Amino acid sequence: MGDDMVRTRGRRDFRRLFAYLALTAVAAVVAPVVAEQPALAQCYACDGVDPNTNGCTGTTTVRELTAAKTGVRIELRFSANCGGAWTRSTQPGNNRYGTDIFLESSDGLRYKHWLRSDSQEWTPMMRWTRTLRACYGWGYEGPNWYNYDVFECTSWW
């Protein structure tokens, strides 16, 4: 073999080794990040599940309102760990206001939670792939779910 052929093969082998090491380094960095990503689309079984007892941590408030009449804070909450969303209410101070909170999807699924005396309460959750909003009803006055003296909702998410 000539010297030129040995140098060419050596450069080619070096480039292959360098490319392999670079690819391995990228895979080592990316693999843990991908593995730690929450399985958002796996929440199909979470409809109707209590978010507080199912490890739904890392929550974010994506929509909220403060009820004009009572000051109750209504939040549409989302957990990337669970891939689900729910409505949470926070009563102001020691006062206890309100009748019901709702989690509603645009396709008609609705979860209602009757407010008791806890300062924070929540609805069951729905999967995040639905279009959702959080609602609050005060002063129930009729046979239908929307017959309240005050009925307020967040915007859709």
Side-chain angles (χ1 to χ4, degrees), residues 103-111 126 130-132 145 156:
L103 177 62
E104 182 181 20
S105 69
S106 61
D107 62 0
L109 183 59
R110 187 175 304 116
Y111 293 129
M126 290 184 201
R130 297 176 181 271
T131 301
L132 303 170
W145 75 274
W156 292 99

Side-chain angles (χ1 to χ4, degrees), residues 69-87:
K69 186 172 184 93
T70 61
V72 173
R73 182 176 178 208
I74 304 300
E75 301 169 87
L76 179 60
R77 306 277 288 167
F78 166 71
S79 170
N81 293 341
C82 290
W86 61 93
T87 298

Side-chain angles (χ1 to χ4, degrees), residues 4-155:
D4 289 337
M5 188 178 262
V6 170
R7 270 188 243 134
T8 302
R9 183 180 291 167
R11 282 189 208 128
R12 184 181 46 198
D13 290 344
F14 177 76
R15 282 187 294 221
R16 285 183 181 170
L17 176 62
F18 182 76
Y20 171 77
L21 291 175
L23 182 62
T24 302
V26 168
V29 170
V30 171
V33 172
V34 171
E36 292 173 12
Q37 293 288 331
L40 295 179
Q42 293 181 6
C43 182
Y44 290 103
C46 76
D47 284 349
V49 173
D50 184 337
N52 208 37
T53 60
N54 284 283
C56 295
T57 58
T59 58
T60 304
T61 298
V62 292
R63 298 280 189 273
E64 69 181 283
L65 67 88
T66 300
K69 186 172 184 93
T70 61
V72 173
R73 182 176 178 208
I74 304 300
E75 301 169 87
L76 179 60
R77 306 277 288 167
F78 166 71
S79 170
N81 293 341
C82 290
W86 61 93
T87 298
R88 181 175 78 173
S89 67
T90 304
Q91 306 269 7
N94 290 325
N95 298 320
R96 299 296 179 250
Y97 299 110
T99 305
D100 300 304
I101 57 175
F102 300 87
L103 177 62
E104 182 181 20
S105 69
S106 61
D107 62 0
L109 183 59
R110 187 175 304 116
Y111 293 129
K112 173 182 170 181
H113 174 77
W114 174 69
L115 294 176
R116 294 178 299 271
S117 61
D118 296 329
S119 61
Q120 282 193 337
E121 298 182 49
W122 52 90
T123 64
M125 66 180 157
M126 290 184 201
R127 67 180 181 265
W128 74 280
T129 55
R130 297 176 181 271
T131 301
L132 303 170
R133 70 179 180 173
C135 299
Y136 168 76
W138 181 83
Y140 184 69
E141 295 291 337
N144 298 312
W145 75 274
Y146 52 82
N147 290 137
Y148 293 86
D149 290 340
V150 175
F151 192 79
E152 301 174 85
C153 295
T154 63
S155 58

